Amino acid sequence: MGGPVGFRPKSGSIPESPGVYRFKDAGGRVIYVGKAKSLRQRLNSYFADFAGLHPRTQTMLTTAAAVDWTVVGTEVEALQLEYSWIKEYDPRFNVKYRDDKSYPYLAVTMGEEFPRVQVLRGAKRKGTRYFGPYSHAWAIRETVDLLLRVFPIRSCSSGVFKRAAQIGRPCLLGYIDKCSAPCVSRVTAEEHRSLAEDFSDFMAGNTGRFIKRLEREMREAAVEQEYEKAARLRDDLQALQRAMEKQAVVLSDNTDCDVVALAEDPLEAAVQVFYVRGGRIRGQRGWVVDKVEEAGPGELVEHFLLQMYGDASAETLPKEVLVPVPLPEVEAVTELLSEHRKARVEIRVPQRGDKKALMETVERNAKESLKQHKLKRASDLTARSKALQEVADALELDQVPLRIECYDVSHIQGTNVVASMVVFEDGLARKSEYRRFAVRSTEGDVASIYEVISRRFKRYLEERSATGELDAEAGPGPDAGFGPELDAEVGPVLDGGPDAEAGSRPNVEAGPKVDVEVGAEFEVQPGIDPETGRPRKFAYPPNLVVVDGGPAQAAAARKALDELGVDDVAVCGLAKRLEEVWLPGEDLPVILARSSEALYLLQRVRDEAHRFAITYHRSKRSKSVKESALDEVPGLGPARRQALIKHFGSVKRLREATAAQICEVPGIGPSTAETIVSALKGQST
């Protein structure tokens, strides 16, 4: 198709009001979200002169199959709804800023009874005060080490804290006066909290009163001829001054601002932010973005401010934001940020003086960041494209497999059988699409693969039928028997695995109340739940299904798809022994070169599925172990149950033991041993 003619709405049907619009592909997935002061003018611009559009915009329009819109009252409401929808649908053609690395923060857990200072990364936690971010964790630890002389607050883990309280002896930091040792009640909870608040105030930039207090106390101690105390206060004062020296003074003491700079080329852009509090640079952070939509520098910075401050708390927003170029809708963005902060926020382009000089410094950092990012990424982009093309050529696919799903089964001797489904799109893991299954079949890996593939694609057909894509009679019936599967897992991953933290999708209804105007032919979109308006879990089919295994597993997956009438999805198996790729019905495997990008990609997909399945299996196995036969024995706590299992090795051997043998376990007396023997014999009968 030469242009987006097939779904062009009638010009008169589009309102002239401010609003937000969504382009969707043939599967109903939202691929682009935009806002406009006048929906009619903005949407007509997409369809007026297709040949004159930017190539990226042309690609978006040829991918799209439908468009709808939502009318709002003001430009601020449009900004809020656009941000909510971008966060909700993760559109592939929208600008999405991502950190070029995981930045460490200095955190004080004010929500705990005894606040703790520590270095944290990832998602921010409620009740914790954050300072930074910093470029390196060691820089935080050096600062904390200096400040603990003056503000000796707890920095130990919960386990160390509890153990010290149990034995009545503090850790090393308590002995060298870098912790006030609340674990052994050297200070009360109120006194320790006061120290934590003073520490937080100093880090927030209120340094003057602490410096003056120490100087006054040092002079008073010298007058009273308490020279040891005066020397200690002198050292404390020097520690605070060294901590302050680590943060460069760039502006006047009452300046609180974020300095945002941008560096770009035709394909990518890098953003750097310096956080200035109390005139000192308190932290630095960087982002990079693919320019998948046509946007100028002002629009890129505007998108960045919305994404950066969209979920920020009032206390983290500065009084002033310095930007490199004027924003297209600066008044609306200013009003939105001011609402978040509950106080006025100024957005300015510095023209002269110290702020202009600082902006130039941040811009140099942004240019260097973009340069380093491109050096790292150039080979990755080339490798991914080459890998996908090699897979398509080796498996004789009609098209490049942009979406690959891989399945693996995990169990121990047929117990706690589970399976995983991982998704790679454009050669990159899409962890929000991962799923896991509790398998009912106990007949081996082949039967398990058949069951999981059947369940996954039955759900796919059912959801297509629900949206009207399939005739209801041709779709699976209500007895399709779908088992438990994993909800979408999103958000920061703290331990390096996608099941480390399961998040939930943002609630788009939290934004402003709006009126919806949708053309009748677009009321139900494939792949979208008509009740919630959100993407369905199994609505999108892969181009290629990879199973962990050889010809038997590949044949089982193909059989499941054939029985469901799914004939547009390719299948292969990847055997671990020789890394052979097996196609269903073929007597000989496809051998990929050991150094080929295609094999590396398939290995990475297979290994990720294996890791995800193993993690789920371990969690299920640990739960089942806890529910052992000993749980039903009265009078046995966790410690004695563990001692019994450690002594006998298993419940089976314990069941065969006599009461006298059980008495050999420390902590088990004759009466308890008799109770165990009678309880276990009762279970065996």
Side-chain angles (χ1 to χ4, degrees):
M1 182 170 60
V5 179
F7 66 93
R8 176 175 182 173
K10 295 180 180 179
S11 179
S13 67
I14 307 174
E16 296 183 354
S17 309
V20 183
Y21 55 92
R22 298 180 293 186
F23 282 96
K24 302 177 181 179
D25 63 14
R29 178 179 296 189
V30 176
I31 61 173
Y32 182 74
V33 173
K35 66 180 184 304
K37 295 180 181 179
S38 171
L39 285 168
R40 180 178 297 180
Q41 292 181 12
R42 181 57 176 157
L43 288 176
N44 283 341
S45 69
Y46 285 103
F47 303 102
D49 181 17
F50 181 79
L53 295 174
H54 193 280
R56 285 188 287 268
T57 306
Q58 291 180 350
T59 303
M60 185 272 290
L61 289 173
T62 53
T63 305
V67 63
D68 63 19
W69 55 84
T70 296
V71 175
V72 298
T74 66
E75 294 178 37
V76 175
E77 290 180 359
L79 285 171
Q80 290 175 324
L81 185 58
E82 181 193 33
Y83 169 74
S84 297
W85 276 0
I86 290 174
K87 190 174 180 182
E88 171 79 13
Y89 297 109
D90 190 23
R92 58 176 292 197
F93 286 100
N94 274 95
V95 166
K96 293 182 289 291
Y97 289 89
R98 59 190 185 278
D99 288 357
D100 53 7
K101 56 183 171 181
S102 177
Y103 285 83
Y105 287 81
L106 173 61
V108 184
T109 58
M110 301 301 294
E112 298 183 17
E113 180 183 5
F114 297 99
R116 172 191 177 192
V117 59
Q118 58 183 319
V119 178
L120 287 180
R121 299 176 186 263
K124 294 186 177 180
R125 307 172 186 176
K126 188 176 181 180
T128 300
R129 292 195 64 180
Y130 289 87
F131 305 95
Y134 294 83
S135 300
H136 304 284
W138 55 262
I140 307 178
R141 295 190 177 97
E142 284 185 358
T143 300
V144 170
D145 187 60
L146 290 170
L147 295 182
L148 287 181
R149 283 187 54 93
V150 186
F151 311 106
I153 66 174
R154 170 192 162 209
S155 59
C156 61
S157 65
S158 298
V160 173
F161 186 86
K162 291 178 181 178
R163 176 170 174 78
Q166 290 172 350
I167 65 177
R169 189 171 65 247
C171 63
L172 176 62
L173 292 177
Y175 283 109
I176 63 176
D177 296 327
K178 287 195 173 182
C179 178
S180 55
C183 54
V184 293
S185 302
R186 284 187 185 172
V187 295
T188 64
E190 292 75 15
E191 291 170 336
H192 185 267
R193 180 168 294 276
S194 178
L195 284 172
E197 290 173 350
D198 288 345
F199 180 95
S200 300
D201 286 346
F202 183 88
M203 290 301 304
N206 302 323
T207 58
R209 67 184 181 96
F210 298 106
I211 298 293
K212 292 177 181 177
R213 187 187 70 186
L214 287 177
E215 289 176 343
R216 184 182 66 253
E217 292 177 356
M218 181 179 66
R219 286 193 296 268
E220 291 174 354
V223 170
E224 297 294 330
Q225 297 184 356
E226 297 179 1
Y227 299 118
E228 290 184 2
K229 179 180 178 181
R232 186 171 63 252
L233 291 170
R234 178 203 59 201
D235 294 341
D236 291 347
L237 181 61
Q238 291 175 350
L240 291 188
Q241 290 171 340
R242 286 198 302 274
M244 292 171 61
E245 288 169 0
K246 291 179 177 293
Q247 301 165 339
V249 179
V250 291
L251 300 170
S252 59
D253 290 344
N254 60 348
T255 302
D256 291 345
C257 67
D258 289 352
V259 187
V260 181
L262 177 74
E264 60 174 327
D265 63 16
L267 297 177
E268 294 176 303
V271 174
Q272 283 284 313
V273 180
F274 279 22
Y275 302 91
V276 180
R277 299 294 183 270
R280 296 175 179 271
I281 298 176
R282 303 288 180 176
Q284 174 188 356
R285 194 172 181 181
W287 288 260
V288 290
V289 63
D290 293 325
K291 295 170 66 175
V292 292
E293 63 175 295
E294 184 180 3
E299 293 173 304
L300 288 172
V301 174
E302 185 177 285
H303 284 306
F304 171 75
L305 295 182
L306 292 176
Q307 293 184 36
M308 177 180 176
Y309 297 122
D311 294 326
S313 59
E315 63 181 13
T316 60
L317 278 167
K319 299 176 183 177
E320 187 178 27
V321 179
L322 303 181
V323 296
V325 292
L327 306 186
E329 300 178 24
V330 63
E331 294 180 0
V333 177
T334 299
E335 185 177 346
L336 182 61
L337 297 187
S338 299
E339 287 181 5
H340 278 299
R341 186 172 180 262
K342 299 180 176 59
R344 182 68 178 174
V345 175
E346 296 287 346
I347 299 178
R348 297 178 52 246
V349 180
Q351 301 296 329
R352 63 184 66 86
D354 292 338
K355 292 181 179 179
K356 176 66 174 177
L358 179 58
M359 175 63 74
E360 293 172 352
T361 299
V362 183
E363 286 177 346
R364 286 195 295 272
N365 278 266
K367 291 177 181 178
E368 182 64 23
S369 175
L370 180 61
K371 177 182 176 182
Q372 294 299 322
H373 171 74
K374 292 184 71 65
L375 289 174
K376 294 177 184 176
R377 178 155 183 182
S379 61
D380 294 338
L381 282 170
T382 304
R384 291 207 314 271
S385 300
K386 183 178 179 182
L388 291 171
Q389 187 60 55
E390 286 183 359
V391 170
D393 294 341
L395 304 185
E396 299 181 356
L397 305 180
D398 295 332
Q399 58 182 340
V400 172
L402 296 180
R403 180 180 171 106
I404 300 175
E405 291 181 3
C406 185
Y407 298 81
D408 186 25
V409 176
S410 180
H411 60 88
I412 293 181
Q413 296 180 345
T415 61
N416 297 315
V417 184
V418 300
S420 66
M421 173 187 117
V422 301
V423 179
F424 275 58
E425 289 188 353
D426 296 331
L428 297 174
R430 191 173 178 87
K431 294 183 179 179
S432 63
E433 302 282 330
Y434 285 15
R435 303 289 181 264
R436 58 190 185 189
F437 303 82
V439 180
R440 305 188 189 99
S441 175
T442 58
E443 300 177 4
D445 289 357
V446 174
S448 298
I449 287 290
Y450 173 82
E451 177 191 328
V452 171
I453 298 294
S454 298
R455 284 166 54 184
R456 185 264 185 265
F457 284 89
K458 280 180 181 177
R459 177 66 67 86
Y460 160 63
L461 294 174
E462 184 184 64
E463 293 185 355
R464 288 187 64 196
S465 177
T467 59
E469 286 190 274
L470 294 179
D471 186 352
E473 295 181 359
D479 58 345
F482 306 112
E485 70 281 332
L486 181 67
D487 288 333
E489 300 186 37
V490 298
V493 180
L494 302 182
D495 69 349
D499 55 349
E501 177 175 318
S504 59
R505 293 184 180 273
N507 186 2
V508 73
E509 297 177 358
K513 187 175 182 180
V514 294
D515 297 320
V516 179
E517 292 188 24
V518 183
E521 65 270 30
F522 306 128
E523 288 182 357
V524 178
Q525 291 296 335
I528 301 297
D529 191 320
E531 296 182 359
T532 65
R534 297 172 180 171
R536 295 172 179 269
K537 293 180 182 177
F538 291 95
Y540 306 112
N543 304 109
L544 174 65
V545 166
V546 180
V547 294
D548 183 14
Q553 285 81 0
R558 183 74 267 170
K559 178 182 177 183
L561 292 175
D562 291 341
E563 290 179 355
L564 294 172
V566 179
D567 56 2
D568 56 350
V569 176
V571 175
C572 73
L574 182 60
K576 288 189 181 73
R577 188 172 65 90
L578 297 175
E579 303 293 13
E580 300 166 332
V581 180
W582 289 91
L583 298 177
E586 297 291 337
D587 295 330
L588 297 175
V590 176
I591 305 298
L592 298 174
R594 285 286 178 179
S595 60
S596 71
E597 295 293 342
L599 182 59
Y600 290 160
L601 173 61
L602 293 179
Q603 286 174 328
R604 192 163 68 250
V605 172
R606 189 266 319 279
D607 293 344
E608 178 69 350
H610 182 66
R611 184 203 60 76
F612 195 43
I614 285 288
T615 304
Y616 184 35
H617 173 71
R618 285 173 179 166
S619 67
K620 287 202 69 175
R621 191 174 74 233
S622 64
K623 291 178 182 178
S624 64
V625 167
K626 293 176 183 177
E627 298 169 357
S628 68
L630 291 177
D631 292 348
E632 302 177 8
V633 178
L636 279 185
R640 291 204 286 182
R641 286 200 300 268
Q642 186 176 3
L644 286 166
I645 294 297
K646 183 177 181 180
H647 182 83
F648 290 97
S650 66
V651 176
K652 180 180 179 182
R653 291 184 179 179
L654 176 60
R655 187 176 281 117
E656 297 170 352
T658 64
Q661 292 172 324
I662 295 175
C663 285
E664 296 175 2
V665 179
I668 304 295
S671 60
T672 304
E674 292 292 344
T675 303
I676 294 171
V677 170
S678 59
L680 293 180
K681 286 184 177 179
Q683 291 176 7
S684 62
T685 57

